[in-house]
Amino acid sequence: MKVRKKRCKECKELFTPTYSTTQIACSPKCAYAYSKRRDKQTKEKNSVSLLNLDKQIKSRKRLPDALKQTQIVFNQWIRLRDTGQPCISSNNDWKFDFDAGHLFSVKQYSELRFDEDNVHGQSIQDNRFKEGNFESYIVNVRYRIGDDRLGVLLKRAEISKQRPHKWTLEELSIIRTKYKNKIKQW
């Protein structure tokens, strides 16, 4: 049986396989060099894909972290702004541990998450245990922000519920900076 000539994968010279029909190099020296080159290429390819995967994972983790950090700064501002005012829902006297309670919830109305007209100082009892005490909240918020601003807030709530807002890192950074500055100026 006649063996066909092949081209060496390393030096590109024609050779007649002597060890096996699957032989890819003309000599052990070329086979070793080819093997080293392929290993290096594979490592580079894997490291690039791992870097890309690492970047994707970091960017996924950064958005929830940024959202949480922004919410903390925003809530701090609301508590500072409403210091001394009674609870928006139950009119209980102000306490240092009031929550920043949302009229329209963060989950259903994502666009209103950082809207100052939507968030007011609220007792822990009303915010956490009475699910925001919405009925009393909506009545009392009118006295704090007025009918015009409440009308605008209600219209924005209708729109927000229909199309949830997807926050970006840039938006959150701008909001966080804005409220940090407001806190400093207070």
Side-chain angles (χ1 to χ4, degrees):
M1 178 169 134
K2 187 175 178 184
V3 179
R4 298 176 78 190
K5 288 192 172 200
K6 295 175 88 177
R7 192 155 302 272
C8 177
K9 295 278 187 179
E10 185 60 26
C11 67
K12 309 296 186 212
E13 295 294 320
L14 284 173
F15 72 96
T16 304
T18 53
Y19 307 112
S20 150
T21 55
T22 59
Q23 185 177 339
I24 58 170
C26 61
S27 67
K29 180 180 176 182
C30 280
Y32 182 75
Y34 176 73
S35 172
K36 286 293 185 187
R37 185 168 51 87
R38 290 287 298 188
D39 285 349
K40 184 178 178 183
Q41 288 173 343
T42 303
K43 282 181 183 178
E44 287 173 359
K45 184 179 175 184
N46 288 343
S47 69
V48 167
S49 65
L50 283 175
L51 281 173
N52 290 339
L53 181 63
D54 194 37
K55 285 179 185 176
Q56 289 174 357
I57 289 170
K58 282 183 181 177
S59 68
R60 284 186 205 145
K61 284 184 178 178
R62 287 184 58 207
L63 188 60
D65 290 342
L67 194 59
K68 187 176 181 179
Q69 291 168 351
T70 305
Q71 190 70 58
I72 288 169
V73 172
F74 177 75
N75 290 353
Q76 226 176 356
W77 162 247
I78 296 298
R79 285 189 202 98
L80 189 62
R81 179 196 72 183
D82 290 355
T83 298
Q85 293 188 22
C87 171
I88 189 73
S89 298
S90 61
N91 285 322
N92 290 338
D93 289 338
W94 177 85
K95 292 183 181 173
F96 71 94
D97 65 346
F98 268 14
D99 283 344
H102 290 75
L103 175 61
F104 296 105
S105 74
V106 169
K107 289 180 183 174
Q108 290 182 332
Y109 303 90
S110 58
E111 188 177 329
L112 301 177
R113 179 180 208 131
F114 302 111
D115 186 319
E116 289 184 32
D117 287 342
N118 185 48
V119 187
H120 298 276
Q122 190 174 38
S123 69
I124 291 173
Q125 185 68 28
D126 285 323
N127 191 35
R128 298 182 194 176
F129 303 112
K130 293 183 181 177
E131 296 178 0
N133 196 355
F134 182 80
E135 294 79 19
S136 297
Y137 197 132
I138 194 92
V139 169
N140 292 330
V141 76
R142 173 175 273 121
Y143 300 115
R144 290 238 184 131
I145 66 173
D147 289 333
D148 294 339
R149 285 170 49 193
L150 180 59
V152 170
L153 182 63
L154 292 171
K155 285 178 186 174
R156 288 188 62 216
E158 287 177 30
I159 294 168
S160 178
K161 191 168 186 177
Q162 293 171 1
R163 57 176 174 87
H165 185 76
K166 303 288 184 192
W167 295 99
T168 64
L169 290 171
E170 293 81 24
E171 286 176 312
L172 295 172
S173 176
I174 291 167
I175 293 168
R176 201 168 42 252
T177 303
K178 173 186 173 182
Y179 286 104
K180 281 181 179 180
N181 289 336
K182 280 186 164 195
I183 290 169
K184 285 179 187 175
Q185 291 173 358
W186 188 262

